[in-house]
Amino acid sequence: MSLRQFMASIALSLLLLFLTVRLVQKGKLDIAYCWIWLGISVGALFVVVRYDLLVRLSNLIGAVTPTTTLFLMGFFVLLLMCLQFSLVISQHRRQIRRLSQELALRNGEGQAGRNGNKASIDA
Amino acid sequence: MRAVVLIPCYRERGRIGNVVRSVRAAFPDLDVVVIDDASPDSSACEARSAGALVLRHGCNLGYGAALETGYMHALASGYDFAVQMDGDGQHLPDQVRLIMAPVLNGSADIVIGSRYRPDGATATTPLRRAGHALFASVLRLTTGLRLSDPTSGFQAITRRALHLFTSGAFPCDYPDSDVILMCRLAGLRIVEVPVRMADRSGGQSMHAGLRPLYYSAKVTLSMFIVALNFLVWRAWRRERTANEAGEKGGSTPCL
């Protein structure tokens, strides 16, 4: 890795780390969802500092260049993130459904109390 | 027996009022509950003016969630059974007695009103007929249950089934033949009776255009998930029973 490559990678990793911390500090990003971004920025820093480990990993998995390994890792991390967000969205959907149903039932209870129910049929 | 008529509705202005009035005229002793899935039109007001209790969702949640809300209300309010019908006027109030009969005589937990009658008169399209045939075949193969119209939303449901539907197992996204499969696997008694149905009196069906194709794929997947969940649950129950028997020192009972 050339010095310029090294410096650019360090700068980008630090920028992502700074951005994540700043967003959490401003309250725009929940702590619950900041871990993955912190992990990515710290992981990127680690890969830059210990480039030899990336080369070893590339040899291990049979990749021709470390760039291929990085690309694969990035792709896999993005897939995992998509899965996590799908889980979160599904959970929120369930929660919204339950809330909306509870609200409808409570409003209905009030209305039913005013009207009075009959509802009986001879078997 | 206490009973309630559940009518999920979305954008049924001009129709829902007539449906509620005709149900109330045919069955003055039954409560009519309309579950309005956040219609942007005046459906909720129409239903309320016609004398129905209206449960209104704050945002659009879909047909399945509207049904589930109705089931939750029916169970919490202590009804012995519920009749569910569409708000577009397809399900005729004079046919309600037919689907209530097996519930009232205690021979069924779920009664499905089938649009396929012995005299061959049906109100459906070829595409839907193909969908019905597909789901009926899957149900027959998996459970041995012979139904002609497993997608019908015209049903009578006992309290026993309401308990199952409100246990969190109800597939809110696509409640269709997968619900029948779930009920069958849970040991509920399912009966189908032929009924007369009308054409939609207006508005747009949720199964319009090519949606049935997409819908069929989703329901098939949902049926697979229901069957898978059942297998997991049965394995878990078998294991638990075996453990309990082991702790007591007895033999494992055959399920």
Side-chain angles (χ1 to χ4, degrees):
Chain A
M1 185 190 285
S2 69
L3 183 64
R4 277 163 67 184
Q5 246 184 330
F6 180 82
M7 295 304 287
S9 304
I10 291 280
L12 282 175
S13 307
L14 286 175
L15 182 69
L16 184 60
L17 188 63
F18 173 76
L19 197 65
T20 307
V21 174
R22 192 88 181 107
L23 284 172
V24 173
Q25 189 194 357
K26 282 185 177 176
K28 288 185 178 176
L29 178 64
D30 285 350
I31 289 182
Y33 301 115
C34 79
W35 298 112
I36 195 154
W37 295 107
L38 287 177
I40 288 171
S41 41
V42 171
L45 268 175
F46 182 75
V47 165
V48 175
V49 174
R50 293 297 308 270
Y51 187 72
D52 58 310
L53 287 180
L54 185 64
V55 175
R56 262 201 237 172
L57 183 64
S58 302
N59 292 334
L60 191 71
I61 64 171
V64 180
T65 61
T67 327
T68 312
T69 313
L70 266 184
F71 179 79
L72 277 175
M73 282 167 63
F75 184 69
F76 189 65
V77 167
L78 283 177
L79 275 183
L80 281 181
M81 283 171 70
C82 285
L83 184 64
Q84 195 216 359
F85 291 141
S86 297
L87 288 173
V88 171
I89 289 168
S90 301
Q91 188 193 16
H92 287 176
R93 235 181 121 220
R94 278 195 299 275
Q95 288 170 340
I96 290 169
R97 192 182 78 218
R98 186 60 63 202
L99 271 174
S100 199
Q101 287 178 320
E102 287 289 336
L103 194 63
L105 289 169
R106 277 173 192 271
N107 289 340
E109 273 172 24
Q111 196 191 332
R114 286 193 296 276
N115 296 350
N117 285 9
K118 296 165 289 188
S120 68
I121 192 161
D122 295 329
Chain B
M1 290 178 91
R2 293 186 71 223
V4 61
V5 178
L6 303 173
I7 309 175
C9 106
Y10 180 68
R11 288 189 168 180
E12 298 293 359
R13 187 183 64 174
R15 291 174 291 278
I16 189 69
N18 289 335
V19 171
V20 171
R21 270 188 290 275
S22 52
V23 171
R24 293 190 77 210
F27 299 96
D29 293 333
L30 291 188
D31 283 336
V32 180
V33 176
V34 169
I35 306 100
D36 178 51
D37 196 19
S39 300
D41 57 16
S42 56
S43 301
C45 292
E46 265 187 35
R48 200 173 285 121
S49 305
L53 169 69
V54 176
L55 305 176
R56 185 170 159 76
H57 287 165
C59 55
N60 185 255
L61 301 172
Y63 177 71
L67 280 178
E68 195 185 37
T69 304
Y71 300 147
M72 288 158 83
H73 170 78
L75 195 65
S77 303
Y79 292 104
D80 296 303
F81 72 95
V83 173
Q84 79 178 46
M85 55 193 294
D86 289 353
D88 57 9
Q90 280 194 80
H91 300 157
L92 302 169
D94 62 1
Q95 304 292 298
V96 168
R97 203 167 286 283
L98 291 174
I99 65 166
M100 284 199 308
V103 167
L104 289 172
N105 66 31
S107 62
D109 295 305
I110 292 181
V111 185
I112 302 165
S114 168
R115 73 199 77 201
Y116 297 104
R117 295 189 296 147
D119 60 9
T122 52
T124 189
T125 61
L127 195 57
R128 283 193 206 178
R129 193 186 286 265
H132 298 157
L134 169 73
F135 294 139
S137 305
V138 173
L139 281 174
R140 195 170 58 247
L141 286 172
T142 52
T143 66
L145 196 62
R146 286 182 180 274
L147 298 175
S148 61
D149 192 3
T151 66
S152 172
F154 195 21
Q155 298 180 1
I157 301 150
T158 61
R159 200 167 168 77
R160 196 174 163 217
L162 288 173
H163 274 292
L164 175 68
F165 290 171
T166 53
S167 66
F170 190 71
C172 269
D173 284 338
Y174 319 108
D176 212 292
S177 306
D178 42 354
V179 176
I180 309 292
L181 179 63
M182 182 179 79
C183 293
R184 181 69 170 179
L185 294 175
L188 298 184
R189 297 164 302 163
I190 301 163
V191 168
E192 187 181 66
V193 293
V195 293
R196 199 160 45 83
M197 287 193 194
D199 290 329
R200 275 185 74 89
S201 52
Q204 195 185 25
S205 166
M206 66 178 187
H207 297 305
L210 287 175
R211 280 185 211 163
L213 289 176
Y214 182 45
Y215 190 80
S216 297
K218 289 192 289 192
V219 172
T220 307
L221 177 64
S222 185
M223 287 173 85
F224 174 72
I225 299 292
V226 167
L228 195 65
N229 280 344
F230 175 76
L231 290 174
V232 171
W233 172 76
R234 198 171 59 171
W236 170 80
R237 194 179 65 166
R238 191 175 288 157
E239 191 181 338
R240 195 185 65 167
T241 312
N243 288 343
E244 284 173 0
E247 283 170 14
K248 289 175 186 169
S251 60
T252 306
C254 183
L255 291 171

